[in-house]
Amino acid sequence: MKFLIAFVALFAVVAHLNAAPLSAQQQADVQILRLDSDVGPENFNYAFETSDGTAAQAQGQLNNVGTENEAISVKGSYSFVGDDGVQYTVQYIADENGFQPQGAHLPVAPVA
């Protein structure tokens, strides 16, 4: 159950991050070009691509099943076309260490 909740929460975050304000006409014109999904009790894979340049894919796995240290780890990426017309891509890992995004457009913390 924890796995399903974590998966749904992660998918909602990715969908929200990709959400750009579109007019009703623009929303009606966006077509799903590809949608793949395989969800199991201890792992999942999904990928989608839309005609407006939005795409995402991820693979997740439940680790340490049945123990106190049970945790999900996810590796994936998402991309979208920004208001400036540039395609932005974020690759990420989300696990017991938190959400760790990487992208050419993202700021990088200075080395301590």
Side-chain angles (χ1 to χ4, degrees), residues 1-3 40-44 60-73 96:
M1 184 60 158
K2 291 179 193 177
F3 176 77
E42 295 179 9
N43 58 47
F44 73 88
Q61 179 174 325
L62 188 59
N63 299 320
N64 303 314
V65 178
T67 71
E68 283 186 21
N69 298 322
E70 184 174 280
I72 189 171
S73 62
E96 64 274 1

Side-chain angles (χ1 to χ4, degrees), residues 19-83:
L22 298 176
S23 71
Q25 182 60 45
Q26 288 172 318
Q27 289 177 1
D29 291 341
V30 174
Q31 302 292 316
I32 297 172
L33 303 177
R34 181 173 66 104
L35 177 60
D36 299 314
S37 177
D38 180 21
V39 179
E42 295 179 9
N43 58 47
F44 73 88
N45 292 295
Y46 77 84
F48 70 85
E49 183 178 351
T50 62
S51 61
D52 67 350
T54 300
Q57 63 83 30
Q59 305 83 40
Q61 179 174 325
L62 188 59
N63 299 320
N64 303 314
V65 178
T67 71
E68 283 186 21
N69 298 322
E70 184 174 280
I72 189 171
S73 62
V74 180
K75 182 177 181 180
S77 66
Y78 60 91
S79 61
F80 59 95
V81 178
D83 292 339

Side-chain angles (χ1 to χ4, degrees), residues 82-106:
D83 292 339
D84 55 4
V86 174
Q87 180 86 24
Y88 293 95
T89 300
V90 175
Q91 295 178 342
Y92 64 89
I93 296 173
D95 58 16
E96 64 274 1
N97 297 314
F99 181 68
Q100 304 158 55
Q102 293 183 342
H105 63 289
L106 297 176

